[in-house]
Amino acid sequence: MAPSVFIAHLILFISVFDTRGQGELTVGFYKSTCPKAEAIVRSTVEAYFNKDPTIAPGLLRMHFHDCFVQGCDGSVLITGASAERNALPNLGLRGFEVVDDAKTQLEAVCPGVVSCADILALAARDAVDLTDGPSWSVPTGRRDGRVSFSTEAANLLSPTDSITVQRQKFADKGLTDKDLVTLVGAHTIGQTDCLFFQYRLYNFTATGNADPSIGPSFLSQLQGLCPRNGDGSKRVALDKDSQNKFDVSFFKNVRDGNGVLESDQRLWGDSATRSIVQKYAGSIRGLLGFRFDFEFPKSMIKLSSIDVKTGTQGEIRNVCSKFN
């Protein structure tokens, strides 16, 4: 598909997409009120990325976690003992300093205009682009939420979730099986701790055996990286072949039994999700199957539009880590 056709399709998708009754977002929302908003976010993300490329998957993951709790409203950015940010699934989130830095710069030129929720959505897009992934026009106009409770993070995905559970969690947010597989494909970049998959290597069924869905040679690799009773905080790439590049090798790994997380590998065990994985894994610049670089932006736009606050809802925070 030619780039011009891709852009036209994407703009059409954005223009007709309504946020599940929550109001519409708009591409170029800050065009007149803060023309440099997107450029400031981009330059900030790029500066941090140039120092540490692993910040890219951190920003992408944080946006995902934000949208799955209270909608995409920046609630994950709030600090406090009982805040969402301190929920167990969020303790490993990274990139808060990037959002805070961008917000400080934006407040200097456009005080009280750009929401933290929009900064995070834009930063996630820029993070993908900087890792050789696709870019897209991000609909903006989100307002920041005034609620953030760690107890509400229970519906975030877990590495041990079955496909049935994953499917239900996505469906509850208006997302399809295709969105599920596509968005989990973000694991093409980033790492995870041994802690979250070590049980698959040594005691999967409490009888001392490994998860049979792991390929034999990959099992040996993982056991070497994460020895029994070893350091659970040791980091391992979620995509063993190209952890810093946004591509389709993650899907090839799942196809070949080389998924690191149980929840990722389970995508191959369900007929519906398997067929989507196959189409992505078999694609060569879009000649076969689905084009991951075309479908990912569409699913990200759906994700970033979940239960957004617009108009007079919520607020525009002065500082992203605390309510006004």
Side-chain angles (χ1 to χ4, degrees):
M1 182 179 291
S4 60
V5 177
F6 168 75
I7 294 170
H9 275 280
L10 197 53
I11 290 174
L12 176 62
F13 177 83
I14 293 168
S15 66
V16 301
F17 187 79
D18 182 41
T19 313
R20 302 178 67 202
Q22 296 295 319
E24 293 186 23
L25 302 175
T26 307
V27 173
F29 181 81
Y30 299 109
K31 185 176 182 180
S32 60
T33 56
C34 192
K36 294 183 179 180
E38 296 199 21
I40 288 173
V41 174
R42 169 69 186 212
S43 65
T44 305
V45 174
E46 193 163 0
Y48 281 86
F49 177 83
N50 288 338
K51 295 177 184 176
D52 178 12
T54 67
I55 202 67
L59 289 166
L60 184 55
R61 181 171 178 242
M62 181 158 61
H63 178 52
F64 182 94
H65 281 222
D66 182 42
C67 292
F68 255 65
V69 183
Q70 287 288 333
C72 309
D73 67 349
S75 56
V76 75
L77 303 170
I78 296 294
T79 55
S82 63
E84 184 181 320
R85 182 165 168 172
N86 283 321
L88 183 61
N90 290 332
L91 294 182
L93 292 183
R94 301 177 59 231
F96 295 101
E97 71 279 11
V98 182
V99 177
D100 290 340
D101 190 345
K103 179 62 171 175
T104 298
Q105 295 179 57
L106 287 166
E107 285 299 299
V109 295
C110 310
V113 174
V114 183
S115 71
C116 299
D118 274 344
I119 293 172
L120 186 49
L122 292 166
R125 182 271 310 274
D126 294 335
V128 172
D129 183 44
L130 286 166
T131 53
D132 294 331
S135 186
W136 60 93
S137 297
V138 177
T140 44
R142 298 167 191 77
R143 288 172 65 85
D144 299 318
R146 294 193 179 104
V147 174
S148 182
F149 294 115
S150 60
T151 53
E152 297 190 1
N155 68 331
L156 286 168
L157 294 183
S158 164
T160 61
D161 282 346
S162 66
I163 286 298
T164 300
V165 172
Q166 292 183 64
R167 177 177 285 127
Q168 187 59 56
K169 288 181 177 180
F170 272 73
D172 287 345
K173 302 299 180 183
L175 300 171
T176 66
D177 277 3
K178 188 174 178 181
D179 295 318
L180 162 60
V181 176
T182 303
L183 293 170
V184 170
H187 287 172
T188 183
I189 54 176
Q191 301 174 315
T192 189
D193 294 351
C194 288
L195 172 67
F196 297 115
F197 65 89
Q198 220 160 15
Y199 68 94
R200 299 184 67 206
L201 311 182
Y202 304 104
N203 200 30
F204 185 63
T205 58
T207 57
N209 62 325
D211 184 343
S213 68
I214 305 175
S217 61
F218 190 51
L219 175 60
S220 297
Q221 285 184 45
L222 291 178
Q223 289 175 332
L225 293 168
C226 302
R228 189 190 297 270
N229 302 319
D231 182 5
S233 65
K234 183 177 180 180
R235 306 284 284 170
V236 174
L238 287 166
D239 179 349
K240 70 181 184 66
D241 298 314
S242 55
Q243 66 170 303
N244 294 316
K245 186 176 181 182
F246 204 93
D247 56 22
V248 298
S249 67
F250 168 80
F251 298 106
K252 295 177 181 179
N253 287 332
V254 171
R255 176 195 63 193
D256 298 338
N258 297 334
V260 175
L261 298 177
E262 180 184 356
S263 55
D264 289 352
Q265 191 57 54
R266 295 299 167 257
L267 295 174
W268 192 251
D270 177 88
S271 59
T273 54
R274 183 194 304 124
S275 67
I276 301 168
V277 171
Q278 280 180 312
K279 289 175 180 176
Y280 284 145
S283 64
I284 303 174
R285 299 305 300 171
L287 296 179
L288 301 169
F290 294 147
R291 272 187 56 173
F292 181 48
D293 60 351
F294 180 75
E295 299 299 335
F296 189 79
K298 293 197 294 182
S299 290
M300 278 297 291
I301 291 168
K302 289 178 69 176
L303 169 73
S304 66
S305 301
I306 292 173
D307 296 334
V308 295
K309 295 159 182 67
T310 57
T312 59
Q313 298 172 317
E315 63 183 14
I316 303 297
R317 285 185 215 139
N318 300 318
V319 177
C320 289
S321 60
K322 61 182 181 180
F323 303 123
N324 290 346

